[in-house]
Amino acid sequence: MLINCVAYQEGKKLSDIPVEDISEYLKQDDTFVWVALRDPAPADISVMQEEFGLHELAVEDALRGHQRPKLEEYGDSLFVVVQIVELAGDELNVGQLAVFAGENYVLSVRRDANQGFLGVRARAEREPHQLKKGAGFVLYALVDAVVDRYFPVVDMLESELESIEDHIFGMQGKQRANVERLYELKRKAQLLRHAVVPLMDAVGRLYGGRVPGVVLETQDYFRDVHDHLYRIAGRLDAVRDTINTAIQVTLSMVAIEENEVSKKLASYAAIFAVFTAFAGVWGMNFEFMPELKWKWGYPLALLTMVGVCAYLYRRFRKAGWL
């Protein structure tokens, strides 16, 4: 679906233009075209390929979707894939933004993402001195907008991790639920990391040294994006390490609880073993037993069993087993 198709000249908006006129505007000096698509059909991409002269391999990747973040050069043009990670309640929604950037055009293709980039276009149009830099600045603005959406996700992960840590020592018998929450949180952190780390490598190629001509005037901006990604990656590493530690502590708590239960069971088993032993001896049917003719033999036997069991209970209690 076509969202926008706009021509700009000297950093100022000329007008919304029909798709079939794109190739004509590209021939004009100091003019570039910015087109935005959302979940396009193959026919829409084919039209854009014809109008912009896009490389067939890049078009194939844009059509396929669910690509790993990357940067590819095709002659004087760039093809950039960025993963969009958005909060959707307690879950993470992962979409994709594919950007074709040439000397005088930018084509963005958004897939499986709810939040659009109209704000990015509005911001760029309010800064004609920046938009005058052409496709390089638009590419930066789009990538920067995606990276900015990573920060709330990291904040959510850190907040949820703190909540789980607060319950590790205070929810006896519910450690299984904590482990499940920790593994779910680890999955989310890994999901965001898969979007961040490859993008760091891609953005690192857009400043310093030999950079593509499209972004020659915007290298400093991409350095700033790379710094943001570096910070996010650092926070994700910290979250991942804390999750691993929390899982180990939780499993240790489970082992401690099981050990406590085992000690209690062993203690009671030892106590009842005394009853069994005495009852086994006095319950034998022999005619000549010393206690058999005693008047107080039966109460004495019970008292002896209770006394020994009480002594064992006291010892186990003192040892902390009961």
Side-chain angles (χ1 to χ4, degrees):
M1 182 175 78
L2 179 67
I3 303 298
N4 295 103
C5 183
V6 184
Y8 298 87
Q9 191 171 55
E10 293 293 330
K12 297 180 180 180
K13 179 178 178 179
L14 288 178
S15 63
D16 295 305
I17 62 174
V19 172
E20 57 270 16
D21 292 345
I22 290 177
S23 56
E24 296 299 324
Y25 278 89
L26 294 179
K27 297 176 182 178
Q28 299 181 20
D29 295 334
D30 299 323
T31 302
F32 80 93
V33 177
W34 182 357
V35 180
L37 300 177
R38 176 186 177 184
D39 297 319
D44 298 328
I45 296 292
S46 296
V47 172
M48 294 300 168
Q49 180 181 10
E50 182 178 350
E51 291 293 328
F52 289 111
L54 305 176
H55 197 280
E56 58 182 6
L57 293 179
V59 170
E60 181 181 344
D61 287 342
L63 281 171
R64 186 179 304 156
H66 302 289
Q67 296 289 309
R68 184 175 182 269
K70 61 182 178 179
L71 167 68
E72 295 178 346
E73 294 185 56
Y74 296 97
D76 296 332
S77 64
L78 294 177
F79 176 66
V80 181
V81 175
V82 183
Q83 286 187 352
I84 304 172
V85 182
E86 301 172 328
L87 290 173
D90 294 334
E91 294 297 322
L92 297 183
N93 179 57
V94 180
Q96 175 181 292
L97 178 68
V99 183
F100 299 85
E103 182 180 355
N104 55 353
Y105 69 87
V106 173
L107 169 63
S108 64
V109 181
R110 174 166 57 102
R111 290 186 179 276
D112 302 322
N114 298 321
Q115 188 176 356
F117 295 92
L118 293 177
V120 176
R121 187 183 292 270
R123 167 197 166 189
E125 291 178 350
R126 288 194 302 267
E127 301 176 344
H129 63 288
Q130 299 284 20
L131 197 54
K132 190 176 181 180
K133 296 175 182 177
F137 178 78
V138 175
L139 176 60
Y140 151 73
L142 291 171
V143 174
D144 184 58
V146 173
V147 173
D148 286 343
R149 296 179 189 180
Y150 294 160
F151 283 101
V153 179
V154 180
D155 293 338
M156 181 274 292
L157 295 175
E158 292 176 338
S159 298
E160 190 171 345
L161 179 57
E162 290 176 1
S163 175
I164 296 174
E165 285 183 307
D166 291 340
H167 291 86
I168 287 179
F169 297 100
M171 295 179 64
Q172 299 299 322
K174 296 184 179 181
Q175 302 298 348
R176 178 186 178 90
N178 281 338
V179 173
E180 291 177 352
R181 291 180 62 190
L182 286 168
Y183 271 101
E184 177 63 19
L185 191 63
K186 187 175 182 179
R187 182 189 67 82
K188 294 177 181 178
Q190 197 67 18
L191 198 66
L192 182 58
R193 183 176 174 80
H194 287 162
V196 170
V197 175
L199 186 58
M200 283 180 60
D201 296 336
V203 173
R205 295 166 53 190
L206 297 178
Y207 71 90
R210 190 199 73 81
V211 299
V214 176
V215 297
L216 200 57
E217 297 184 32
T218 54
Q219 295 185 60
D220 293 338
Y221 296 94
F222 285 104
R223 181 184 295 109
D224 182 66
V225 173
H226 189 272
D227 289 340
H228 290 173
L229 289 169
Y230 185 81
R231 286 167 48 198
I232 293 172
R235 293 173 64 182
L236 286 175
D237 287 341
V239 167
R240 184 176 60 176
D241 292 341
T242 305
I243 289 175
N244 290 333
T245 302
I247 290 175
Q248 293 176 2
V249 171
T250 304
L251 294 178
S252 298
M253 293 292 294
V254 172
I256 291 173
E257 288 183 7
E258 291 179 349
N259 187 45
E260 291 295 325
V261 173
S262 298
K263 288 194 295 184
K264 290 180 179 180
L265 292 175
S267 300
Y268 283 115
I271 292 172
F272 282 103
V274 172
F275 273 101
T276 304
F278 279 111
V281 172
W282 279 312
M284 291 187 293
N285 296 320
F286 290 107
E287 180 178 357
F288 302 101
M289 292 182 66
E291 305 89 346
L292 193 60
K293 302 297 182 179
W294 290 2
K295 180 179 179 180
W296 302 102
Y298 187 72
L300 181 62
L302 291 177
L303 183 62
T304 302
M305 287 190 285
V306 171
V308 174
C309 291
Y311 172 76
L312 290 175
Y313 181 84
R314 182 183 178 187
R315 295 288 296 177
F316 285 131
R317 185 84 172 178
K318 187 176 181 180
W321 283 39
L322 292 175

